[in-house]
Amino acid sequence: MTWTFDTDAGRAALEIASEYADTTLLNHSIRSYAFGAWYARQHGLTHDAELFYVSALLHDLGLTAPFDSHTLPFEEAGGHVARVLTAGLGWPPARRARAQEVIVLHMRDDVTAGQDVESHLLQVGTSADVSWLRVGEFPESFLADLLAEYPRLGFGKAFLTLVEDQAVRKPDCAAAAYVAGGAEARIAANPLDHRA
């Protein structure tokens, strides 16, 4: 199964994410999209698939050295990356703002599908991949195919290191609240990291 989105914007997002994120973080972004896209199909959630894909691929670029802001939380920095990239692709201002918003909201309080379906899907996707939330809803065949194509490569430990660094340097950010709320235990308990 291929988890890509074959449009100009989709190809550009994958190219940029591949250029700036290491394979571990890139695979997480693609898995997050895959979890969210599968969930949307199963729940009949109508959404802007291209917007969701682009947002998912770019959502963690604020954790990479070139885009890590010394003042902004990583999701806000990543939202700005998405806004700039999509401006170059010719997206109108409102749609660029939506890409930014989806990325920012993935680290905020729960957003329902009724409130903002693309943000909800990114929350579902990232939560499944990072913390095993809702993974019981996904069939074993889906999980096996996804992990075979986009392996975790020690993602849990790598991601924890990144968010702990954000928490130390930006103590008022969402990553700091996430770390303080037990991120280490939730990430360590994720059985996706213990599969072959």
Side-chain angles (χ1 to χ4, degrees):
M1 186 174 293
T2 300
W3 297 104
T4 57
F5 204 83
D6 194 22
T7 64
D8 288 345
R11 289 188 294 272
L14 179 59
E15 182 178 347
I16 293 300
S18 300
E19 185 173 340
Y20 286 99
D22 64 18
T23 305
T24 302
L25 198 60
L26 174 66
N27 284 1
H28 159 66
S29 297
I30 296 170
R31 289 192 308 268
S32 295
Y33 165 74
F35 278 121
W38 188 93
Y39 179 90
R41 283 194 298 276
Q42 294 304 305
H43 292 269
L45 297 177
T46 301
H47 64 289
D48 182 330
E50 182 182 60
L51 170 66
F52 172 51
Y53 179 79
V54 168
S55 300
L57 267 287
L58 304 178
H59 82 273
D60 275 345
L61 287 188
L63 290 170
T64 66
F67 300 117
D68 181 13
S69 169
H70 69 285
T71 56
L72 293 177
F74 79 89
E75 67 277 14
E76 292 182 20
H80 286 291
V81 173
R83 194 169 188 134
V84 170
L85 173 68
T86 55
L89 294 169
W91 283 18
R95 195 157 192 246
R96 297 195 304 260
R98 281 291 296 132
Q100 180 179 22
E101 181 179 40
V102 169
I103 291 170
V104 170
L105 289 179
H106 97 277
M107 284 295 291
R108 301 300 188 263
D109 292 335
D110 186 49
V111 177
T112 68
Q115 292 169 316
D116 181 339
V117 68
E118 291 84 17
S119 295
H120 177 70
L121 294 177
L122 188 55
Q123 287 184 333
V124 167
T126 57
S127 296
D129 198 54
V130 174
S131 302
W132 187 245
L133 295 178
R134 288 192 172 100
V135 171
E137 296 184 30
F138 300 91
E140 177 58 35
S141 59
F142 166 87
L143 295 173
D145 289 348
L146 184 61
L147 293 175
E149 192 164 355
Y150 300 104
R152 292 182 68 80
L153 307 173
F155 168 71
K157 289 181 181 178
F159 185 73
L160 181 63
T161 298
L162 291 169
V163 293
E164 286 179 335
D165 175 64
Q166 294 283 313
V168 169
R169 293 187 292 115
K170 307 168 197 176
D172 296 324
C173 72
Y178 174 63
V179 169
E184 182 176 9
R186 287 198 303 276
I187 290 171
N190 188 342
L192 291 177
D193 271 335
H194 306 291
R195 293 169 63 113

